[in-house]
Amino acid sequence: MAPYESDRTAGAEGLPDEADDVRAGRRKAARYVVPVAVVGVAAATIGLVPALADSGDPSLPKITAEQLIEKIAKSDFQQLSGTVKVSTDLGLPSLGGLESGMLSGATEGSGGSSADPQSKLMELASGTHTVRVAADGPDKAKVSVLENAAEYSIIHNGNDVWAYDSKSNEVYHSTAPAAEKGEEKAPKDVPTTPKELADEALKSVDDTTSVTVDGTAQVAGRDAYKLLIKPKQSGSTVGAITVAVDAKTGVPLKFTLVPTSGGAAVVDAGFTQVAFAKPAASTFDFTPPKGAKVTEDKDGKDTKESKESKAPESAPSHGDLGKGLDGLKTIGKGWSTIAEFDTGGQGMPSGSSSEGGDVSGFLNSLGDHVKGKFGSGTVFSTRLVNALITDDGKVYAGAVTKDALVKAANAAH
Protein backbone atom coordinates (compact mmCIF):
# COMPACT_ATOMS: atom_id res chain seq x y z
CA MET A 1 0.00 0.00 0.00
CA ALA A 2 1.35 3.40 -0.97
CA PRO A 3 1.87 5.93 1.82
CA TYR A 4 -1.29 7.84 2.77
CA GLU A 5 -3.63 5.63 0.72
CA SER A 6 -5.58 4.77 3.85
CA ASP A 7 -5.96 8.48 4.60
CA ARG A 8 -7.79 8.98 1.34
CA THR A 9 -10.12 6.04 1.80
CA ALA A 10 -10.92 7.28 5.30
CA GLY A 11 -12.27 10.49 3.81
CA ALA A 12 -9.54 12.90 4.96
CA GLU A 13 -10.10 16.29 3.40
CA GLY A 14 -7.79 18.97 2.11
CA LEU A 15 -5.07 16.60 0.81
CA PRO A 16 -3.09 17.45 -2.33
CA ASP A 17 -4.21 15.73 -5.51
CA GLU A 18 -0.76 15.32 -7.00
CA ALA A 19 1.55 12.77 -5.33
CA ASP A 20 4.63 14.57 -6.58
CA ASP A 21 3.51 17.81 -4.92
CA VAL A 22 3.03 15.95 -1.64
CA ARG A 23 6.53 14.47 -1.72
CA ALA A 24 8.09 17.77 -2.75
CA GLY A 25 6.37 19.51 0.15
CA ARG A 26 7.78 17.03 2.64
CA ARG A 27 11.31 17.20 1.33
CA LYS A 28 11.23 20.99 1.52
CA ALA A 29 11.40 20.65 5.28
CA ALA A 30 14.78 18.88 5.27
CA ARG A 31 17.82 21.15 5.11
CA TYR A 32 19.96 20.55 8.12
CA VAL A 33 22.14 17.97 9.81
CA VAL A 34 22.03 16.36 13.24
CA PRO A 35 24.54 17.39 15.91
CA VAL A 36 28.05 16.44 14.88
CA ALA A 37 28.60 14.46 18.11
CA VAL A 38 25.93 11.99 17.01
CA VAL A 39 28.29 10.75 14.23
CA GLY A 40 25.81 11.82 11.59
CA VAL A 41 24.08 8.43 11.43
CA ALA A 42 20.49 9.56 12.05
CA ALA A 43 17.23 8.14 10.76
CA ALA A 44 17.26 8.72 7.01
CA THR A 45 13.87 7.44 5.98
CA ILE A 46 10.37 7.92 7.33
CA GLY A 47 7.20 6.01 6.38
CA LEU A 48 3.82 7.18 7.56
CA VAL A 49 1.00 5.31 9.23
CA PRO A 50 -2.01 7.69 9.30
CA ALA A 51 -3.75 8.35 12.59
CA LEU A 52 -6.03 10.98 14.07
CA ALA A 53 -5.43 13.23 17.04
CA ASP A 54 -8.56 12.62 19.07
CA SER A 55 -7.73 13.29 22.68
CA GLY A 56 -5.59 15.49 24.84
CA ASP A 57 -5.49 18.98 26.20
CA PRO A 58 -5.85 21.48 24.56
CA SER A 59 -8.75 20.42 22.35
CA LEU A 60 -7.85 20.89 18.69
CA PRO A 61 -9.47 19.89 15.38
CA LYS A 62 -8.64 16.40 14.16
CA ILE A 63 -5.69 16.10 11.81
CA THR A 64 -3.96 13.23 10.03
CA ALA A 65 -0.25 12.52 10.19
CA GLU A 66 0.04 13.41 6.52
CA GLN A 67 -1.69 16.73 7.01
CA LEU A 68 0.53 17.55 9.99
CA ILE A 69 3.68 16.73 7.98
CA GLU A 70 2.41 19.03 5.23
CA LYS A 71 1.79 21.73 7.82
CA ILE A 72 5.42 21.50 8.95
CA ALA A 73 6.68 21.60 5.35
CA LYS A 74 4.63 24.68 4.55
CA SER A 75 5.65 26.57 7.69
CA ASP A 76 7.96 29.29 6.44
CA PHE A 77 8.08 31.79 9.29
CA GLN A 78 11.34 33.62 8.68
CA GLN A 79 10.78 36.13 11.48
CA LEU A 80 10.86 34.86 15.05
CA SER A 81 12.64 35.13 18.36
CA GLY A 82 12.65 32.98 21.43
CA THR A 83 14.47 30.90 24.01
CA VAL A 84 15.20 27.19 23.57
CA LYS A 85 16.23 24.76 26.28
CA VAL A 86 18.45 22.00 24.88
CA SER A 87 19.30 18.88 26.89
CA THR A 88 21.50 16.13 25.48
CA ASP A 89 22.36 12.88 27.25
CA LEU A 90 24.35 10.53 25.03
CA GLY A 91 25.60 8.56 28.02
CA LEU A 92 29.22 9.40 27.31
CA PRO A 93 31.70 8.57 30.08
CA SER A 94 32.73 11.54 32.19
CA LEU A 95 36.30 12.45 31.29
CA GLY A 96 36.49 15.59 33.44
CA GLY A 97 39.47 17.77 32.61
CA LEU A 98 40.67 15.32 29.96
CA GLU A 99 37.55 15.92 27.90
CA SER A 100 37.89 19.71 27.95
CA GLY A 101 41.62 19.41 27.33
CA MET A 102 41.07 17.26 24.25
CA LEU A 103 38.59 19.76 22.81
CA SER A 104 40.89 22.68 23.62
CA GLY A 105 43.86 20.88 22.12
CA ALA A 106 41.97 20.09 18.96
CA THR A 107 41.09 23.76 18.51
CA GLU A 108 44.59 24.99 19.15
CA GLY A 109 46.17 22.29 17.03
CA SER A 110 44.11 23.33 14.02
CA GLY A 111 45.24 26.93 14.38
CA GLY A 112 41.66 27.95 15.12
CA SER A 113 39.90 30.14 17.64
CA SER A 114 37.83 29.36 20.72
CA ALA A 115 35.06 31.28 18.96
CA ASP A 116 35.09 28.99 15.90
CA PRO A 117 31.54 27.50 15.64
CA GLN A 118 32.90 24.12 14.52
CA SER A 119 34.49 23.55 17.91
CA LYS A 120 32.36 25.72 20.21
CA LEU A 121 28.98 24.25 19.27
CA MET A 122 30.28 20.77 20.15
CA GLU A 123 29.40 21.75 23.72
CA LEU A 124 25.71 21.33 22.85
CA ALA A 125 26.39 17.59 22.55
CA SER A 126 26.22 17.15 26.32
CA GLY A 127 24.40 18.62 29.29
CA THR A 128 21.65 21.23 29.40
CA HIS A 129 21.95 24.61 27.72
CA THR A 130 19.82 27.71 27.25
CA VAL A 131 19.88 29.08 23.71
CA ARG A 132 18.38 32.33 22.46
CA VAL A 133 17.47 32.49 18.79
CA ALA A 134 16.32 35.26 16.46
CA ALA A 135 15.76 35.40 12.71
CA ASP A 136 14.62 37.93 10.13
CA GLY A 137 14.67 36.27 6.73
CA PRO A 138 17.49 34.22 5.19
CA ASP A 139 20.13 36.95 5.66
CA LYS A 140 19.73 37.75 9.35
CA ALA A 141 19.99 35.27 12.22
CA LYS A 142 21.44 35.13 15.71
CA VAL A 143 22.04 32.18 18.04
CA SER A 144 23.35 32.76 21.57
CA VAL A 145 24.34 30.02 24.02
CA LEU A 146 24.07 31.37 27.55
CA GLU A 147 26.66 30.20 30.07
CA ASN A 148 27.53 31.12 33.64
CA ALA A 149 28.46 34.80 33.47
CA ALA A 150 29.33 34.34 29.79
CA GLU A 151 27.72 34.09 26.38
CA TYR A 152 28.65 32.62 23.02
CA SER A 153 26.91 34.09 19.97
CA ILE A 154 26.81 33.51 16.23
CA ILE A 155 25.48 36.49 14.27
CA HIS A 156 24.66 36.33 10.56
CA ASN A 157 23.97 39.72 9.02
CA GLY A 158 24.07 40.08 5.25
CA ASN A 159 27.36 38.69 3.94
CA ASP A 160 29.02 38.60 7.35
CA VAL A 161 29.01 35.76 9.87
CA TRP A 162 30.44 36.62 13.27
CA ALA A 163 31.01 34.39 16.28
CA TYR A 164 31.93 35.83 19.66
CA ASP A 165 33.02 34.06 22.85
CA SER A 166 32.73 36.54 25.72
CA LYS A 167 34.58 34.20 28.10
CA SER A 168 37.81 34.34 26.09
CA ASN A 169 37.02 37.66 24.37
CA GLU A 170 37.69 36.06 20.98
CA VAL A 171 35.92 36.74 17.70
CA TYR A 172 35.69 34.54 14.60
CA HIS A 173 34.67 36.08 11.27
CA SER A 174 33.78 34.62 7.89
CA THR A 175 31.62 35.60 4.95
CA ALA A 176 28.67 33.92 3.30
CA PRO A 177 27.81 34.18 -0.41
CA ALA A 178 24.71 36.08 -1.40
CA ALA A 179 21.62 33.95 -0.91
CA GLU A 180 19.28 33.11 -3.73
CA LYS A 181 15.56 33.47 -3.10
CA GLY A 182 14.43 30.86 -0.59
CA GLU A 183 17.99 29.68 0.07
CA GLU A 184 19.50 29.41 3.53
CA LYS A 185 23.08 30.60 3.79
CA ALA A 186 23.75 30.87 7.52
CA PRO A 187 26.02 28.14 8.94
CA LYS A 188 23.96 25.10 10.02
CA ASP A 189 26.63 22.69 11.25
CA VAL A 190 24.68 22.06 14.46
CA PRO A 191 20.90 22.45 14.66
CA THR A 192 19.77 24.53 17.62
CA THR A 193 15.99 24.65 17.18
CA PRO A 194 13.26 21.99 17.21
CA LYS A 195 12.48 22.76 13.55
CA GLU A 196 16.01 21.99 12.40
CA LEU A 197 15.94 18.67 14.28
CA ALA A 198 12.47 17.81 12.97
CA ASP A 199 13.48 18.68 9.40
CA GLU A 200 16.27 16.11 9.55
CA ALA A 201 13.95 13.39 10.85
CA LEU A 202 11.43 14.06 8.08
CA LYS A 203 13.77 14.37 5.14
CA SER A 204 12.41 11.38 3.19
CA VAL A 205 9.62 8.83 3.24
CA ASP A 206 9.49 5.03 3.00
CA ASP A 207 8.09 2.07 4.90
CA THR A 208 10.68 1.80 7.69
CA THR A 209 8.82 3.96 10.19
CA SER A 210 5.45 4.48 11.82
CA VAL A 211 4.39 8.11 12.13
CA THR A 212 1.18 9.01 13.96
CA VAL A 213 -0.46 11.99 15.61
CA ASP A 214 -0.38 11.28 19.33
CA GLY A 215 -2.62 13.82 21.01
CA THR A 216 -1.95 17.46 21.83
CA ALA A 217 0.13 19.55 24.21
CA GLN A 218 1.04 23.09 25.18
CA VAL A 219 4.58 24.32 24.55
CA ALA A 220 5.77 27.83 25.38
CA GLY A 221 2.11 28.78 25.96
CA ARG A 222 1.04 27.66 22.48
CA ASP A 223 -1.32 24.86 21.44
CA ALA A 224 0.43 22.05 19.61
CA TYR A 225 -0.12 18.63 18.04
CA LYS A 226 2.28 15.80 18.96
CA LEU A 227 3.77 13.89 16.03
CA LEU A 228 5.09 10.47 17.12
CA ILE A 229 7.80 8.81 15.01
CA LYS A 230 8.80 5.20 15.77
CA PRO A 231 11.03 2.76 13.88
CA LYS A 232 9.43 -0.42 12.58
CA GLN A 233 12.83 -2.07 12.23
CA SER A 234 14.58 -4.05 14.92
CA GLY A 235 18.15 -3.33 15.95
CA SER A 236 17.80 0.46 16.16
CA THR A 237 18.77 2.30 19.33
CA VAL A 238 16.09 4.94 18.60
CA GLY A 239 12.95 4.22 20.59
CA ALA A 240 10.76 7.12 19.48
CA ILE A 241 10.82 10.76 18.42
CA THR A 242 8.10 13.19 19.45
CA VAL A 243 7.70 16.54 17.71
CA ALA A 244 5.31 19.11 19.15
CA VAL A 245 3.99 21.15 16.21
CA ASP A 246 2.43 24.57 16.68
CA ALA A 247 -1.24 24.19 15.70
CA LYS A 248 -1.43 27.67 14.15
CA THR A 249 1.87 28.10 12.34
CA GLY A 250 3.08 24.52 11.79
CA VAL A 251 6.45 25.37 13.33
CA PRO A 252 7.96 22.56 15.47
CA LEU A 253 8.16 23.82 19.05
CA LYS A 254 9.71 20.81 20.79
CA PHE A 255 11.77 17.78 19.70
CA THR A 256 12.34 14.76 21.95
CA LEU A 257 14.26 11.58 21.12
CA VAL A 258 14.17 8.66 23.56
CA PRO A 259 16.32 5.51 23.15
CA THR A 260 15.12 1.91 23.13
CA SER A 261 17.03 1.43 26.39
CA GLY A 262 14.62 3.81 28.14
CA GLY A 263 15.43 6.46 30.70
CA ALA A 264 15.96 10.16 30.03
CA ALA A 265 15.72 11.53 26.51
CA VAL A 266 18.90 11.52 24.42
CA VAL A 267 17.89 14.86 22.89
CA ASP A 268 15.22 17.17 24.28
CA ALA A 269 15.02 20.60 22.65
CA GLY A 270 12.04 22.89 23.10
CA PHE A 271 11.04 26.52 23.15
CA THR A 272 10.32 27.96 26.57
CA GLN A 273 9.34 31.26 24.95
CA VAL A 274 8.67 32.11 21.29
CA ALA A 275 7.25 35.03 19.30
CA PHE A 276 6.60 35.18 15.56
CA ALA A 277 7.40 38.83 15.03
CA LYS A 278 10.16 40.86 13.40
CA PRO A 279 13.12 41.24 15.81
CA ALA A 280 14.69 44.67 16.24
CA ALA A 281 17.28 45.41 13.56
CA SER A 282 19.89 46.05 16.27
CA THR A 283 19.65 42.35 17.25
CA PHE A 284 21.91 41.48 14.32
CA ASP A 285 24.45 44.30 14.71
CA PHE A 286 27.94 43.30 15.83
CA THR A 287 31.25 45.11 16.28
CA PRO A 288 34.28 43.31 17.79
CA PRO A 289 34.74 44.53 21.39
CA LYS A 290 37.82 46.52 22.27
CA GLY A 291 40.84 44.28 22.80
CA ALA A 292 39.16 41.20 21.31
CA LYS A 293 41.32 38.79 19.33
CA VAL A 294 39.82 38.40 15.85
CA THR A 295 40.41 35.29 13.75
CA GLU A 296 39.68 35.53 10.03
CA ASP A 297 38.55 32.53 8.01
CA LYS A 298 40.48 32.95 4.77
CA ASP A 299 40.19 30.53 1.85
CA GLY A 300 38.98 27.83 4.23
CA LYS A 301 42.13 28.15 6.37
CA ASP A 302 42.28 29.77 9.78
CA THR A 303 44.85 32.51 10.42
CA LYS A 304 45.01 34.30 13.75
CA GLU A 305 45.11 38.07 13.87
CA SER A 306 44.88 40.11 17.06
CA LYS A 307 43.20 43.44 16.48
CA GLU A 308 41.96 46.29 18.62
CA SER A 309 38.32 47.05 17.66
CA LYS A 310 39.16 47.01 13.97
CA ALA A 311 36.66 45.58 11.51
CA PRO A 312 38.23 42.47 9.91
CA GLU A 313 38.31 41.94 6.18
CA SER A 314 35.88 39.61 4.42
CA ALA A 315 36.86 36.00 3.81
CA PRO A 316 35.36 32.86 2.32
CA SER A 317 33.71 30.27 4.55
CA HIS A 318 34.96 26.85 5.60
CA GLY A 319 36.16 24.23 3.14
CA ASP A 320 34.72 20.77 2.55
CA LEU A 321 34.18 19.13 5.94
CA GLY A 322 33.41 15.78 4.29
CA LYS A 323 36.85 15.48 2.70
CA GLY A 324 38.56 12.20 3.50
CA LEU A 325 35.38 10.10 3.67
CA ASP A 326 35.32 9.14 0.00
CA GLY A 327 35.33 5.45 0.94
CA LEU A 328 32.19 5.69 3.06
CA LYS A 329 29.64 2.95 2.37
CA THR A 330 26.27 2.23 3.93
CA ILE A 331 24.76 -1.08 4.95
CA GLY A 332 21.00 -1.50 5.27
CA LYS A 333 18.44 1.30 5.15
CA GLY A 334 16.30 3.50 7.34
CA TRP A 335 16.80 3.37 11.08
CA SER A 336 19.09 0.33 10.77
CA THR A 337 21.56 2.04 8.43
CA ILE A 338 25.20 1.38 9.29
CA ALA A 339 28.09 3.46 7.96
CA GLU A 340 31.19 1.50 6.98
CA PHE A 341 34.57 2.97 6.13
CA ASP A 342 38.24 2.05 6.24
CA THR A 343 40.58 4.28 8.22
CA GLY A 344 43.42 3.13 6.00
CA GLY A 345 45.48 2.20 9.02
CA GLN A 346 45.71 -0.15 11.91
CA GLY A 347 42.76 -0.34 14.25
CA MET A 348 42.89 -0.26 18.02
CA PRO A 349 44.59 -3.27 19.62
CA SER A 350 41.88 -5.21 21.45
CA GLY A 351 44.22 -6.96 23.82
CA SER A 352 46.04 -5.66 26.90
CA SER A 353 46.94 -2.03 27.40
CA SER A 354 50.61 -2.89 26.83
CA GLU A 355 49.88 -3.48 23.13
CA GLY A 356 49.05 0.13 22.47
CA GLY A 357 50.48 2.01 25.40
CA ASP A 358 48.66 3.98 28.09
CA VAL A 359 46.34 5.86 25.71
CA SER A 360 45.28 2.69 23.91
CA GLY A 361 44.71 0.96 27.23
CA PHE A 362 42.57 3.84 28.46
CA LEU A 363 40.42 3.91 25.31
CA ASN A 364 40.05 0.14 25.34
CA SER A 365 38.73 0.33 28.90
CA LEU A 366 35.82 2.39 27.56
CA GLY A 367 34.78 -0.22 24.97
CA ASP A 368 33.62 -3.82 24.73
CA HIS A 369 35.89 -6.32 23.00
CA VAL A 370 34.23 -8.52 20.39
CA LYS A 371 35.28 -11.24 17.94
CA GLY A 372 33.85 -12.59 14.71
CA LYS A 373 34.66 -13.39 11.10
CA PHE A 374 36.31 -9.97 10.94
CA GLY A 375 38.77 -10.98 13.65
CA SER A 376 38.77 -8.83 16.79
CA GLY A 377 37.52 -5.36 17.52
CA THR A 378 36.21 -2.90 20.08
CA VAL A 379 32.69 -1.49 20.30
CA PHE A 380 32.35 2.02 21.71
CA SER A 381 28.83 2.76 22.87
CA THR A 382 26.60 5.70 23.69
CA ARG A 383 22.88 5.65 24.40
CA LEU A 384 22.23 6.40 20.71
CA VAL A 385 25.22 5.76 18.45
CA ASN A 386 27.54 2.75 18.61
CA ALA A 387 30.76 2.18 16.66
CA LEU A 388 32.79 -0.97 16.06
CA ILE A 389 36.48 -0.49 15.25
CA THR A 390 38.14 -3.68 14.06
CA ASP A 391 41.81 -4.43 14.60
CA ASP A 392 42.46 -4.04 10.86
CA GLY A 393 41.15 -0.45 10.81
CA LYS A 394 37.57 -0.91 9.58
CA VAL A 395 34.83 1.14 11.26
CA TYR A 396 31.12 0.30 11.45
CA ALA A 397 28.90 2.95 13.08
CA GLY A 398 25.23 3.71 13.40
CA ALA A 399 22.24 4.29 15.66
CA VAL A 400 22.05 0.52 16.06
CA THR A 401 22.83 -2.07 18.74
CA LYS A 402 26.19 -3.73 19.30
CA ASP A 403 24.83 -7.03 17.93
CA ALA A 404 23.75 -5.31 14.72
CA LEU A 405 27.27 -3.90 14.22
CA VAL A 406 28.90 -7.29 14.77
CA LYS A 407 26.45 -8.91 12.35
CA ALA A 408 27.20 -6.29 9.68
CA ALA A 409 30.97 -6.69 10.13
CA ASN A 410 30.66 -10.49 9.85
CA ALA A 411 28.61 -10.15 6.65
CA ALA A 412 31.22 -7.82 5.14
CA HIS A 413 33.98 -10.41 5.56
Side-chain angles (χ1 to χ4, degrees), residues 44-108:
T45 51
I46 303 293
L48 302 182
V49 175
L52 295 179
D54 54 10
S55 64
D57 187 16
S59 178
L60 293 171
K62 292 182 178 181
I63 190 171
T64 66
E66 180 186 13
Q67 289 170 323
L68 190 52
I69 296 270
E70 290 300 312
K71 197 174 185 70
I72 296 173
K74 291 176 181 178
S75 66
D76 192 25
F77 281 77
Q78 298 192 30
Q79 295 179 334
L80 65 82
S81 59
T83 302
V84 180
K85 181 179 179 181
V86 181
S87 296
T88 309
D89 182 5
L90 290 171
L92 294 170
S94 177
L95 302 181
L98 176 61
E99 181 180 25
S100 59
M102 289 171 64
L103 291 174
S104 174
T107 301
E108 294 174 2

Side-chain angles (χ1 to χ4, degrees), residues 260-324:
T260 53
S261 59
V266 172
V267 179
D268 188 39
F271 280 101
T272 58
Q273 180 274 327
V274 64
F276 298 99
K278 182 183 177 70
S282 59
T283 303
F284 311 104
D285 292 339
F286 181 79
T287 300
K290 183 177 181 179
K293 178 162 57 177
V294 178
T295 298
E296 290 285 355
D297 177 17
K298 295 182 178 180
D299 299 324
K301 298 180 180 179
D302 295 336
T303 57
K304 288 186 177 180
E305 295 179 355
S306 296
K307 303 180 180 182
E308 296 286 332
S309 296
K310 181 179 179 181
E313 298 176 357
S314 299
S317 58
H318 286 291
D320 181 10
L321 298 179
K323 195 174 182 180

Side-chain angles (χ1 to χ4, degrees), residues 56 87 100 123 199 246 300 372 393 398:
S87 296
S100 59
E123 295 178 8
D199 284 349
D246 186 68

Side-chain angles (χ1 to χ4, degrees), residues 331-397:
I331 301 170
K333 68 173 185 175
W335 302 86
S336 298
T337 299
I338 295 173
E340 174 193 1
F341 60 93
D342 193 335
T343 62
Q346 187 176 12
M348 295 185 58
S350 54
S352 65
S353 61
S354 61
E355 293 183 50
D358 293 338
V359 173
S360 177
F362 169 73
L363 292 176
N364 268 289
S365 70
L366 301 178
D368 296 328
H369 305 309
V370 294
K371 292 185 178 181
K373 294 180 181 178
F374 53 86
S376 299
T378 304
V379 175
F380 296 92
S381 301
T382 72
R383 298 177 66 222
L384 183 64
V385 173
N386 295 323
L388 165 61
I389 304 177
T390 64
D391 288 355
D392 61 358
K394 296 286 182 62
V395 177
Y396 302 85

